[in-house]
Amino acid sequence: MTHTFLHTTPDDERSQSVLRDLEREYDGRYGSRFGEPASAEIHRYPPERFSAPDGTFLLLLEDGLAVSAGAFMRIDETTAEIKRVWTDAAHRGKGLARLVLAELEAEAARRGYRTIVLSTGPRQPEAVRLYLATSYTPLFDPSLDADEIVFHHFRKELVA
């Protein structure tokens, strides 16, 4: 198995299959909890936000197929927001999201960003564990129940 990173856009057909699976996953975890279907979040931002020069949509390919992914978009001149972190269900538990996160951070640094922000929901404890394990600072009280926190916001300063 060969893993390859591909920086692309949300319009790439391989990205579209990732986004469809992510939408299915969000719908399964959250249903109508936030008053709108997952598709509203998936399509909240135009594809250009996750495209060069200010953003990227990163695919981790295994033998040509997307097995993990993530994206970032510009918030301001020095801050990028990571979104759409996903790993195919059959490939979870192998550290692929950690690889994607590290490549997104490296690409953001190459593009001049110094700060990363991101958030996840209360029904994604594996994402919270990943961000805490990769030195993201929680902008919430981790001692509170996940449903009490609702949106778990994180921040990380990139090393120059």
Side-chain angles (χ1 to χ4, degrees), residues 47-112:
E48 297 78 31
R49 295 289 306 270
F50 300 108
S51 303
D54 293 331
T56 193
F57 199 98
L58 176 68
L59 300 174
L60 179 61
L61 304 175
E62 182 178 285
D63 299 325
L65 299 174
V67 294
S68 194
F72 69 73
M73 64 182 189
R74 176 189 175 108
I75 298 299
D76 62 38
E77 188 176 298
T78 62
T79 308
E81 181 176 8
I82 290 180
K83 308 277 289 172
R84 314 291 181 254
V85 177
W86 165 90
T87 299
D88 179 73
H91 292 85
R92 292 186 182 160
K94 299 176 182 177
L96 300 180
R98 186 182 289 254
L99 294 175
V100 165
L101 195 57
E103 175 59 19
L104 287 170
E105 291 171 6
E107 183 64 18
R110 286 189 289 270
R111 295 193 193 183

Side-chain angles (χ1 to χ4, degrees), residues 9-70:
T9 71
D11 292 328
D12 184 307
E13 181 51 41
R14 292 165 291 195
S15 301
Q16 288 293 305
S17 67
V18 165
L19 292 171
R20 284 189 296 273
D21 193 60
L22 191 57
E23 182 177 335
R24 181 201 53 74
E25 175 108 13
Y26 286 173
D27 278 336
R29 289 187 190 217
Y30 296 105
S32 60
R33 168 158 185 185
F34 299 116
E36 59 187 12
S39 61
E41 171 57 27
I42 297 296
H43 301 291
R44 188 172 312 281
Y45 306 100
E48 297 78 31
R49 295 289 306 270
F50 300 108
S51 303
D54 293 331
T56 193
F57 199 98
L58 176 68
L59 300 174
L60 179 61
L61 304 175
E62 182 178 285
D63 299 325
L65 299 174
V67 294
S68 194

Side-chain angles (χ1 to χ4, degrees), residues 26 35-36 42 96 113-114 130 141 144 148:
Y26 286 173
E36 59 187 12
I42 297 296
L96 300 180
Y113 295 112
R114 295 191 301 268
L130 171 65
D141 181 349
L144 296 175
E148 198 175 333

Side-chain angles (χ1 to χ4, degrees), residues 133-146:
T134 53
S135 302
Y136 279 81
T137 301
L139 303 178
F140 58 89
D141 181 349
S143 70
L144 296 175
D145 181 77

